Amino acid sequence: MAGERKLSKRPQGVLCDISGVLKNSINRVDVPIEKSVEAFKRLQDSGLPYILCTNESCYSTAVLAEKLNKIGFNVPADKIISPVSVIIQVIKENKHRPYVLVNDKVKGEFAQFDQSDPDIVVVGDAEEDFTYENMNKTFKLLVGGERKFYCLGRSKYYMDSGELKLEVGCFIAGLEYSSQVEAEVIGKPSSVFFNQAASLLGLSPGELVMIGDDVDSDVGGAMRAGLQGILVKTGKYREKDASHPTVKPSFIADNLSHAIDVILSTK
């Protein structure tokens, strides 16, 4: 059985998802998952280097850190990597002029860039701004293949108030289908994203473990990049994930506390 698998070696560093692992959202209010605050403190006290590795594209890393601190997690912004932080660096390094379809709460992050005559298209979790008008404008910029297409994560759905809700992935798939332009993923499950997180820790992917509640984006993406992967039975986890046809987690844990127990007890 998948749950009987174990870590092949003790990780030298940890990547950890945020939503569904550290906290859940109830009516858009963040609530820590049972035992997660204490478990995260044990990880920090262990001395193992860590990075919170999220596909959250509705907030900057500074705001994410602030939100986590408010519910008991003592996390500095530089311990979080997100698609927004990575794409900002890509734009700066390449002097791009982006067209962005992103959440209102992160539009300010892109205000520093010239957005006239865009040479790239960036789409994140725009939520209510995924209107026909905005999607059609984005499609018209992509069709013809003259502009590179970046998507901030490619998750299928997320959990809110005990219900699954659509994520950015379905909107990306629609734009790709109509424009015939394939998006480059900035975020999970991209191996590039996991490699960037590993680089921030100064470790190789093979020295790391990823803890996540998404069997495809978190665990599958991490394992394809060479990491070990722990799937937790919180957040968006479903029983069928334990018998996924292609992703075989290194370990399936009840929650973050169980995952940290396993990591720290592995020799």
Side-chain angles (χ1 to χ4, degrees):
M1 296 291 292
E4 295 172 345
R5 295 167 66 88
K6 61 182 181 178
L7 301 184
S8 61
K9 60 182 178 180
R10 181 182 173 94
Q12 300 305 302
V14 178
L15 306 186
C16 184
D17 191 17
I18 295 177
S19 294
V21 179
L22 298 184
K23 55 93 175 176
N24 283 326
S25 178
I26 301 176
N27 296 322
R28 304 210 175 191
V29 175
D30 292 330
V31 178
I33 293 171
E34 185 178 3
K35 298 182 180 180
S36 63
V37 173
E38 296 83 357
F40 186 67
K41 181 68 163 53
R42 284 197 290 127
L43 171 61
Q44 292 176 309
D45 290 345
S46 75
L48 281 176
Y50 72 91
I51 288 282
L52 298 183
C53 194
T54 179
N55 265 1
E56 176 65 74
S57 63
C58 293
Y59 301 99
S60 67
T61 53
V63 171
L64 287 171
E66 181 182 349
K67 286 165 67 68
L68 287 170
N69 288 331
K70 284 181 178 178
I71 59 172
F73 299 98
N74 183 20
V75 185
D78 64 2
K79 288 292 187 180
I80 303 174
I81 182 173
S82 76
V84 174
S85 63
V86 173
I87 194 63
I88 291 292
Q89 193 60 37
V90 169
I91 294 170
K92 284 180 178 178
E93 290 175 355
N94 295 279
K95 299 180 179 178
H96 283 309
R97 301 180 308 278
Y99 166 78
V100 296
L101 176 54
V102 295
N103 197 283
D104 276 344
K105 294 185 284 289
V106 294
K107 282 183 179 177
E109 300 291 309
F110 298 89
Q112 60 187 296
F113 304 117
D114 177 11
Q115 297 182 41
S116 63
D117 188 24
D119 64 334
I120 63 170
V121 171
V122 177
V123 178
D125 188 5
E127 294 186 327
E128 288 81 2
D129 282 341
F130 278 131
T131 63
Y132 175 82
E133 181 181 1
N134 287 338
M135 289 286 284
N136 196 47
K137 180 178 181 180
T138 306
F139 158 72
K140 288 193 286 186
L141 286 169
L142 288 171
V143 72
E146 297 173 357
R147 297 176 177 88
K148 192 161 187 177
F149 183 16
Y150 291 99
C151 62
L152 305 185
R154 200 184 180 112
S155 298
K156 298 173 183 176
Y157 49 80
Y158 66 99
M159 179 71 75
D160 180 50
S161 303
E163 296 181 345
L164 296 179
K165 297 186 177 181
L166 285 176
E167 252 269 31
V168 66
C170 66
F171 299 99
I172 298 301
L175 288 168
E176 287 179 324
Y177 176 76
S178 295
S179 70
Q180 295 297 290
V181 176
E182 185 176 353
E184 179 176 331
V185 180
I186 303 291
K188 299 173 290 187
S190 168
S191 293
V192 173
F193 193 67
F194 288 108
N195 288 335
Q196 288 169 322
S199 178
L200 288 173
L201 294 178
L203 295 168
S204 68
E207 296 176 295
L208 299 173
V209 64
M210 172 72 196
I211 306 171
D213 65 320
D214 188 319
V215 69
D216 291 309
S217 289
D218 293 335
V219 177
M223 295 183 76
R224 286 191 292 273
L227 292 78
Q228 297 187 84
I230 296 179
L231 179 66
V232 291
K233 296 181 178 182
T234 52
K236 68 175 71 170
Y237 172 83
R238 292 290 178 269
E239 286 299 324
K240 63 181 178 62
D241 296 339
S243 54
H244 193 282
T246 58
V247 180
K248 307 301 177 187
S250 308
F251 191 84
I252 299 179
D254 293 333
N255 50 31
L256 178 62
S257 183
H258 187 195
I260 298 303
D261 286 345
V262 169
I263 291 168
L264 297 183
S265 64
T266 299
K267 304 300 182 183

PDB file of all heavy atoms in Angstrom, residues 17-48:
ATOM      1  N   ASP A  17       4.137  23.095   1.609  1.00  0.00           N
ATOM      2  CA  ASP A  17       3.019  23.888   1.103  1.00  0.00           C
ATOM      3  C   ASP A  17       2.399  24.670   2.262  1.00  0.00           C
ATOM      4  O   ASP A  17       2.640  24.377   3.438  1.00  0.00           O
ATOM      5  CB  ASP A  17       2.001  22.954   0.450  1.00  0.00           C
ATOM      6  CG  ASP A  17       0.945  23.687  -0.343  1.00  0.00           C
ATOM      7  OD1 ASP A  17       1.139  24.877  -0.675  1.00  0.00           O
ATOM      8  OD2 ASP A  17      -0.098  23.075  -0.634  1.00  0.00           O
ATOM      9  N   ILE A  18       1.571  25.653   1.923  1.00  0.00           N
ATOM     10  CA  ILE A  18       0.903  26.466   2.947  1.00  0.00           C
ATOM     11  C   ILE A  18      -0.556  26.053   3.090  1.00  0.00           C
ATOM     12  O   ILE A  18      -0.955  25.456   4.084  1.00  0.00           O
ATOM     13  CB  ILE A  18       1.024  27.969   2.621  1.00  0.00           C
ATOM     14  CG1 ILE A  18       2.487  28.418   2.678  1.00  0.00           C
ATOM     15  CG2 ILE A  18       0.184  28.792   3.598  1.00  0.00           C
ATOM     16  CD1 ILE A  18       2.728  29.877   2.302  1.00  0.00           C
ATOM     17  N   SER A  19      -1.356  26.356   2.061  1.00  0.00           N
ATOM     18  CA  SER A  19      -2.791  26.046   2.133  1.00  0.00           C
ATOM     19  C   SER A  19      -3.012  24.540   2.114  1.00  0.00           C
ATOM     20  O   SER A  19      -2.476  23.836   1.261  1.00  0.00           O
ATOM     21  CB  SER A  19      -3.533  26.698   0.967  1.00  0.00           C
ATOM     22  OG  SER A  19      -3.493  28.108   1.086  1.00  0.00           O
ATOM     23  N   GLY A  20      -3.790  24.063   3.060  1.00  0.00           N
ATOM     24  CA  GLY A  20      -4.070  22.637   3.147  1.00  0.00           C
ATOM     25  C   GLY A  20      -3.066  21.861   3.958  1.00  0.00           C
ATOM     26  O   GLY A  20      -3.283  20.677   4.237  1.00  0.00           O
ATOM     27  N   VAL A  21      -1.967  22.500   4.344  1.00  0.00           N
ATOM     28  CA  VAL A  21      -0.948  21.842   5.164  1.00  0.00           C
ATOM     29  C   VAL A  21      -0.757  22.604   6.481  1.00  0.00           C
ATOM     30  O   VAL A  21      -0.859  22.038   7.564  1.00  0.00           O
ATOM     31  CB  VAL A  21       0.396  21.730   4.412  1.00  0.00           C
ATOM     32  CG1 VAL A  21       1.459  21.067   5.300  1.00  0.00           C
ATOM     33  CG2 VAL A  21       0.223  20.943   3.122  1.00  0.00           C
ATOM     34  N   LEU A  22      -0.490  23.908   6.365  1.00  0.00           N
ATOM     35  CA  LEU A  22      -0.392  24.740   7.565  1.00  0.00           C
ATOM     36  C   LEU A  22      -1.763  25.243   8.000  1.00  0.00           C
ATOM     37  O   LEU A  22      -2.064  25.293   9.192  1.00  0.00           O
ATOM     38  CB  LEU A  22       0.521  25.948   7.323  1.00  0.00           C
ATOM     39  CG  LEU A  22       1.980  25.691   6.974  1.00  0.00           C
ATOM     40  CD1 LEU A  22       2.724  27.018   6.887  1.00  0.00           C
ATOM     41  CD2 LEU A  22       2.633  24.783   7.978  1.00  0.00           C
ATOM     42  N   LYS A  23      -2.575  25.630   7.025  1.00  0.00           N
ATOM     43  CA  LYS A  23      -3.858  26.255   7.362  1.00  0.00           C
ATOM     44  C   LYS A  23      -4.901  25.953   6.305  1.00  0.00           C
ATOM     45  O   LYS A  23      -4.588  25.612   5.161  1.00  0.00           O
ATOM     46  CB  LYS A  23      -3.680  27.767   7.537  1.00  0.00           C
ATOM     47  CG  LYS A  23      -3.034  28.497   6.340  1.00  0.00           C
ATOM     48  CD  LYS A  23      -4.024  29.048   5.363  1.00  0.00           C
ATOM     49  CE  LYS A  23      -3.416  29.871   4.257  1.00  0.00           C
ATOM     50  NZ  LYS A  23      -4.408  30.330   3.265  1.00  0.00           N
ATOM     51  N   ASN A  24      -6.146  26.092   6.702  1.00  0.00           N
ATOM     52  CA  ASN A  24      -7.277  26.048   5.791  1.00  0.00           C
ATOM     53  C   ASN A  24      -7.922  27.421   5.747  1.00  0.00           C
ATOM     54  O   ASN A  24      -7.653  28.277   6.596  1.00  0.00           O
ATOM     55  CB  ASN A  24      -8.310  25.004   6.242  1.00  0.00           C
ATOM     56  CG  ASN A  24      -7.893  23.588   5.915  1.00  0.00           C
ATOM     57  OD1 ASN A  24      -7.255  23.331   4.893  1.00  0.00           O
ATOM     58  ND2 ASN A  24      -8.253  22.650   6.785  1.00  0.00           N
ATOM     59  N   SER A  25      -8.789  27.610   4.769  1.00  0.00           N
ATOM     60  CA  SER A  25      -9.541  28.852   4.661  1.00  0.00           C
ATOM     61  C   SER A  25     -11.018  28.553   4.873  1.00  0.00           C
ATOM     62  O   SER A  25     -11.575  27.661   4.232  1.00  0.00           O
ATOM     63  CB  SER A  25      -9.326  29.483   3.276  1.00  0.00           C
ATOM     64  OG  SER A  25     -10.075  30.669   3.139  1.00  0.00           O
ATOM     65  N   ILE A  26     -11.635  29.282   5.780  1.00  0.00           N
ATOM     66  CA  ILE A  26     -13.062  29.151   6.046  1.00  0.00           C
ATOM     67  C   ILE A  26     -13.706  30.510   5.815  1.00  0.00           C
ATOM     68  O   ILE A  26     -13.440  31.459   6.554  1.00  0.00           O
ATOM     69  CB  ILE A  26     -13.324  28.653   7.484  1.00  0.00           C
ATOM     70  CG1 ILE A  26     -12.648  27.292   7.695  1.00  0.00           C
ATOM     71  CG2 ILE A  26     -14.823  28.568   7.758  1.00  0.00           C
ATOM     72  CD1 ILE A  26     -12.764  26.758   9.098  1.00  0.00           C
ATOM     73  N   ASN A  27     -14.522  30.593   4.754  1.00  0.00           N
ATOM     74  CA  ASN A  27     -15.099  31.875   4.350  1.00  0.00           C
ATOM     75  C   ASN A  27     -14.016  32.941   4.196  1.00  0.00           C
ATOM     76  O   ASN A  27     -14.159  34.074   4.639  1.00  0.00           O
ATOM     77  CB  ASN A  27     -16.157  32.329   5.353  1.00  0.00           C
ATOM     78  CG  ASN A  27     -17.344  31.386   5.388  1.00  0.00           C
ATOM     79  OD1 ASN A  27     -17.774  30.870   4.362  1.00  0.00           O
ATOM     80  ND2 ASN A  27     -17.869  31.136   6.585  1.00  0.00           N
ATOM     81  N   ARG A  28     -12.893  32.505   3.610  1.00  0.00           N
ATOM     82  CA  ARG A  28     -11.737  33.359   3.320  1.00  0.00           C
ATOM     83  C   ARG A  28     -11.032  33.860   4.573  1.00  0.00           C
ATOM     84  O   ARG A  28     -10.265  34.820   4.524  1.00  0.00           O
ATOM     85  CB  ARG A  28     -12.129  34.535   2.416  1.00  0.00           C
ATOM     86  CG  ARG A  28     -12.790  34.055   1.123  1.00  0.00           C
ATOM     87  CD  ARG A  28     -12.550  34.986  -0.014  1.00  0.00           C
ATOM     88  NE  ARG A  28     -13.087  34.434  -1.245  1.00  0.00           N
ATOM     89  CZ  ARG A  28     -12.841  34.923  -2.438  1.00  0.00           C
ATOM     90  NH1 ARG A  28     -12.059  35.956  -2.578  1.00  0.00           N
ATOM     91  NH2 ARG A  28     -13.357  34.373  -3.514  1.00  0.00           N
ATOM     92  N   VAL A  29     -11.283  33.208   5.692  1.00  0.00           N
ATOM     93  CA  VAL A  29     -10.557  33.498   6.930  1.00  0.00           C
ATOM     94  C   VAL A  29      -9.607  32.341   7.195  1.00  0.00           C
ATOM     95  O   VAL A  29     -10.019  31.179   7.201  1.00  0.00           O
ATOM     96  CB  VAL A  29     -11.529  33.669   8.118  1.00  0.00           C
ATOM     97  CG1 VAL A  29     -10.749  33.858   9.421  1.00  0.00           C
ATOM     98  CG2 VAL A  29     -12.467  34.847   7.875  1.00  0.00           C
ATOM     99  N   ASP A  30      -8.321  32.642   7.398  1.00  0.00           N
ATOM    100  CA  ASP A  30      -7.322  31.605   7.607  1.00  0.00           C
ATOM    101  C   ASP A  30      -7.440  31.005   9.005  1.00  0.00           C
ATOM    102  O   ASP A  30      -7.521  31.728  10.009  1.00  0.00           O
ATOM    103  CB  ASP A  30      -5.913  32.175   7.411  1.00  0.00           C
ATOM    104  CG  ASP A  30      -5.643  32.561   5.971  1.00  0.00           C
ATOM    105  OD1 ASP A  30      -6.226  31.925   5.069  1.00  0.00           O
ATOM    106  OD2 ASP A  30      -4.846  33.492   5.746  1.00  0.00           O
ATOM    107  N   VAL A  31      -7.415  29.681   9.059  1.00  0.00           N
ATOM    108  CA  VAL A  31      -7.498  28.948  10.324  1.00  0.00           C
ATOM    109  C   VAL A  31      -6.409  27.881  10.314  1.00  0.00           C
ATOM    110  O   VAL A  31      -6.339  27.077   9.379  1.00  0.00           O
ATOM    111  CB  VAL A  31      -8.881  28.277  10.488  1.00  0.00           C
ATOM    112  CG1 VAL A  31      -8.920  27.479  11.785  1.00  0.00           C
ATOM    113  CG2 VAL A  31      -9.991  29.313  10.448  1.00  0.00           C
ATOM    114  N   PRO A  32      -5.534  27.856  11.329  1.00  0.00           N
ATOM    115  CA  PRO A  32      -4.491  26.817  11.344  1.00  0.00           C
ATOM    116  C   PRO A  32      -5.087  25.425  11.464  1.00  0.00           C
ATOM    117  O   PRO A  32      -6.061  25.215  12.196  1.00  0.00           O
ATOM    118  CB  PRO A  32      -3.647  27.180  12.573  1.00  0.00           C
ATOM    119  CG  PRO A  32      -4.521  28.031  13.425  1.00  0.00           C
ATOM    120  CD  PRO A  32      -5.442  28.756  12.495  1.00  0.00           C
ATOM    121  N   ILE A  33      -4.523  24.483  10.736  1.00  0.00           N
ATOM    122  CA  ILE A  33      -4.935  23.087  10.840  1.00  0.00           C
ATOM    123  C   ILE A  33      -4.452  22.540  12.189  1.00  0.00           C
ATOM    124  O   ILE A  33      -3.383  22.913  12.681  1.00  0.00           O
ATOM    125  CB  ILE A  33      -4.365  22.274   9.669  1.00  0.00           C
ATOM    126  CG1 ILE A  33      -5.024  22.731   8.352  1.00  0.00           C
ATOM    127  CG2 ILE A  33      -4.565  20.777   9.867  1.00  0.00           C
ATOM    128  CD1 ILE A  33      -4.395  22.163   7.108  1.00  0.00           C
ATOM    129  N   GLU A  34      -5.243  21.669  12.781  1.00  0.00           N
ATOM    130  CA  GLU A  34      -4.927  21.120  14.098  1.00  0.00           C
ATOM    131  C   GLU A  34      -3.488  20.580  14.152  1.00  0.00           C
ATOM    132  O   GLU A  34      -3.059  19.844  13.271  1.00  0.00           O
ATOM    133  CB  GLU A  34      -5.905  19.994  14.446  1.00  0.00           C
ATOM    134  CG  GLU A  34      -5.733  19.443  15.854  1.00  0.00           C
ATOM    135  CD  GLU A  34      -6.742  18.356  16.177  1.00  0.00           C
ATOM    136  OE1 GLU A  34      -7.542  17.981  15.282  1.00  0.00           O
ATOM    137  OE2 GLU A  34      -6.722  17.871  17.321  1.00  0.00           O
ATOM    138  N   LYS A  35      -2.769  20.991  15.157  1.00  0.00           N
ATOM    139  CA  LYS A  35      -1.390  20.584  15.458  1.00  0.00           C
ATOM    140  C   LYS A  35      -0.353  21.186  14.511  1.00  0.00           C
ATOM    141  O   LYS A  35       0.845  20.940  14.679  1.00  0.00           O
ATOM    142  CB  LYS A  35      -1.237  19.057  15.454  1.00  0.00           C
ATOM    143  CG  LYS A  35      -2.075  18.329  16.486  1.00  0.00           C
ATOM    144  CD  LYS A  35      -1.805  16.828  16.424  1.00  0.00           C
ATOM    145  CE  LYS A  35      -2.642  16.074  17.457  1.00  0.00           C
ATOM    146  NZ  LYS A  35      -2.370  14.610  17.390  1.00  0.00           N
ATOM    147  N   SER A  36      -0.775  21.984  13.510  1.00  0.00           N
ATOM    148  CA  SER A  36       0.190  22.471  12.526  1.00  0.00           C
ATOM    149  C   SER A  36       1.124  23.543  13.085  1.00  0.00           C
ATOM    150  O   SER A  36       2.301  23.592  12.719  1.00  0.00           O
ATOM    151  CB  SER A  36      -0.529  22.990  11.280  1.00  0.00           C
ATOM    152  OG  SER A  36      -1.348  24.094  11.587  1.00  0.00           O
ATOM    153  N   VAL A  37       0.629  24.414  13.958  1.00  0.00           N
ATOM    154  CA  VAL A  37       1.488  25.461  14.533  1.00  0.00           C
ATOM    155  C   VAL A  37       2.614  24.822  15.339  1.00  0.00           C
ATOM    156  O   VAL A  37       3.792  25.180  15.190  1.00  0.00           O
ATOM    157  CB  VAL A  37       0.665  26.435  15.406  1.00  0.00           C
ATOM    158  CG1 VAL A  37       1.589  27.402  16.140  1.00  0.00           C
ATOM    159  CG2 VAL A  37      -0.324  27.219  14.557  1.00  0.00           C
ATOM    160  N   GLU A  38       2.262  23.868  16.176  1.00  0.00           N
ATOM    161  CA  GLU A  38       3.263  23.187  16.997  1.00  0.00           C
ATOM    162  C   GLU A  38       4.226  22.381  16.124  1.00  0.00           C
ATOM    163  O   GLU A  38       5.442  22.360  16.381  1.00  0.00           O
ATOM    164  CB  GLU A  38       2.577  22.256  18.000  1.00  0.00           C
ATOM    165  CG  GLU A  38       1.706  22.965  19.023  1.00  0.00           C
ATOM    166  CD  GLU A  38       0.304  23.286  18.527  1.00  0.00           C
ATOM    167  OE1 GLU A  38      -0.003  23.008  17.339  1.00  0.00           O
ATOM    168  OE2 GLU A  38      -0.481  23.833  19.316  1.00  0.00           O
ATOM    169  N   ALA A  39       3.705  21.736  15.104  1.00  0.00           N
ATOM    170  CA  ALA A  39       4.551  20.939  14.211  1.00  0.00           C
ATOM    171  C   ALA A  39       5.537  21.820  13.454  1.00  0.00           C
ATOM    172  O   ALA A  39       6.715  21.456  13.305  1.00  0.00           O
ATOM    173  CB  ALA A  39       3.677  20.164  13.226  1.00  0.00           C
ATOM    174  N   PHE A  40       5.061  22.956  12.999  1.00  0.00           N
ATOM    175  CA  PHE A  40       5.948  23.867  12.271  1.00  0.00           C
ATOM    176  C   PHE A  40       7.045  24.406  13.188  1.00  0.00           C
ATOM    177  O   PHE A  40       8.198  24.542  12.769  1.00  0.00           O
ATOM    178  CB  PHE A  40       5.132  25.014  11.677  1.00  0.00           C
ATOM    179  CG  PHE A  40       5.922  25.919  10.788  1.00  0.00           C
ATOM    180  CD1 PHE A  40       6.418  25.468   9.575  1.00  0.00           C
ATOM    181  CD2 PHE A  40       6.181  27.225  11.155  1.00  0.00           C
ATOM    182  CE1 PHE A  40       7.162  26.290   8.749  1.00  0.00           C
ATOM    183  CE2 PHE A  40       6.926  28.066  10.337  1.00  0.00           C
ATOM    184  CZ  PHE A  40       7.416  27.593   9.127  1.00  0.00           C
ATOM    185  N   LYS A  41       6.692  24.667  14.436  1.00  0.00           N
ATOM    186  CA  LYS A  41       7.703  25.127  15.405  1.00  0.00           C
ATOM    187  C   LYS A  41       8.743  24.030  15.637  1.00  0.00           C
ATOM    188  O   LYS A  41       9.951  24.313  15.754  1.00  0.00           O
ATOM    189  CB  LYS A  41       7.003  25.474  16.727  1.00  0.00           C
ATOM    190  CG  LYS A  41       7.940  25.998  17.815  1.00  0.00           C
ATOM    191  CD  LYS A  41       8.505  27.366  17.452  1.00  0.00           C
ATOM    192  CE  LYS A  41       9.091  28.083  18.662  1.00  0.00           C
ATOM    193  NZ  LYS A  41      10.077  27.330  19.424  1.00  0.00           N
ATOM    194  N   ARG A  42       8.322  22.779  15.662  1.00  0.00           N
ATOM    195  CA  ARG A  42       9.279  21.674  15.811  1.00  0.00           C
ATOM    196  C   ARG A  42      10.231  21.608  14.625  1.00  0.00           C
ATOM    197  O   ARG A  42      11.420  21.328  14.777  1.00  0.00           O
ATOM    198  CB  ARG A  42       8.549  20.344  15.970  1.00  0.00           C
ATOM    199  CG  ARG A  42       7.956  20.145  17.358  1.00  0.00           C
ATOM    200  CD  ARG A  42       7.602  18.691  17.611  1.00  0.00           C
ATOM    201  NE  ARG A  42       6.461  18.258  16.825  1.00  0.00           N
ATOM    202  CZ  ARG A  42       6.437  17.202  16.040  1.00  0.00           C
ATOM    203  NH1 ARG A  42       7.511  16.449  15.899  1.00  0.00           N
ATOM    204  NH2 ARG A  42       5.334  16.866  15.379  1.00  0.00           N
ATOM    205  N   LEU A  43       9.695  21.851  13.424  1.00  0.00           N
ATOM    206  CA  LEU A  43      10.549  21.889  12.231  1.00  0.00           C
ATOM    207  C   LEU A  43      11.580  23.001  12.355  1.00  0.00           C
ATOM    208  O   LEU A  43      12.773  22.792  12.112  1.00  0.00           O
ATOM    209  CB  LEU A  43       9.699  22.089  10.975  1.00  0.00           C
ATOM    210  CG  LEU A  43      10.461  22.373   9.678  1.00  0.00           C
ATOM    211  CD1 LEU A  43      11.380  21.211   9.322  1.00  0.00           C
ATOM    212  CD2 LEU A  43       9.488  22.659   8.531  1.00  0.00           C
ATOM    213  N   GLN A  44      11.128  24.183  12.751  1.00  0.00           N
ATOM    214  CA  GLN A  44      12.059  25.307  12.894  1.00  0.00           C
ATOM    215  C   GLN A  44      13.114  25.021  13.965  1.00  0.00           C
ATOM    216  O   GLN A  44      14.298  25.307  13.779  1.00  0.00           O
ATOM    217  CB  GLN A  44      11.286  26.579  13.231  1.00  0.00           C
ATOM    218  CG  GLN A  44      10.411  27.086  12.082  1.00  0.00           C
ATOM    219  CD  GLN A  44       9.588  28.293  12.465  1.00  0.00           C
ATOM    220  OE1 GLN A  44       8.902  28.281  13.483  1.00  0.00           O
ATOM    221  NE2 GLN A  44       9.648  29.338  11.654  1.00  0.00           N
ATOM    222  N   ASP A  45      12.685  24.446  15.094  1.00  0.00           N
ATOM    223  CA  ASP A  45      13.616  24.162  16.188  1.00  0.00           C
ATOM    224  C   ASP A  45      14.606  23.057  15.847  1.00  0.00           C
ATOM    225  O   ASP A  45      15.679  22.960  16.459  1.00  0.00           O
ATOM    226  CB  ASP A  45      12.840  23.767  17.454  1.00  0.00           C
ATOM    227  CG  ASP A  45      12.077  24.926  18.067  1.00  0.00           C
ATOM    228  OD1 ASP A  45      12.360  26.085  17.701  1.00  0.00           O
ATOM    229  OD2 ASP A  45      11.187  24.675  18.907  1.00  0.00           O
ATOM    230  N   SER A  46      14.254  22.211  14.866  1.00  0.00           N
ATOM    231  CA  SER A  46      15.143  21.099  14.493  1.00  0.00           C
ATOM    232  C   SER A  46      16.409  21.573  13.799  1.00  0.00           C
ATOM    233  O   SER A  46      17.403  20.843  13.749  1.00  0.00           O
ATOM    234  CB  SER A  46      14.407  20.127  13.565  1.00  0.00           C
ATOM    235  OG  SER A  46      14.284  20.679  12.244  1.00  0.00           O
ATOM    236  N   GLY A  47      16.367  22.776  13.261  1.00  0.00           N
ATOM    237  CA  GLY A  47      17.523  23.292  12.538  1.00  0.00           C
ATOM    238  C   GLY A  47      17.556  22.921  11.069  1.00  0.00           C
ATOM    239  O   GLY A  47      18.430  23.397  10.322  1.00  0.00           O
ATOM    240  N   LEU A  48      16.624  22.076  10.623  1.00  0.00           N
ATOM    241  CA  LEU A  48      16.571  21.749   9.197  1.00  0.00           C
ATOM    242  C   LEU A  48      16.157  22.990   8.404  1.00  0.00           C
ATOM    243  O   LEU A  48      15.167  23.645   8.747  1.00  0.00           O
ATOM    244  CB  LEU A  48      15.553  20.637   8.933  1.00  0.00           C
ATOM    245  CG  LEU A  48      15.953  19.195   9.236  1.00  0.00           C
ATOM    246  CD1 LEU A  48      14.766  18.269   9.009  1.00  0.00           C
ATOM    247  CD2 LEU A  48      17.124  18.772   8.366  1.00  0.00           C
TER     248      LEU A  48
END
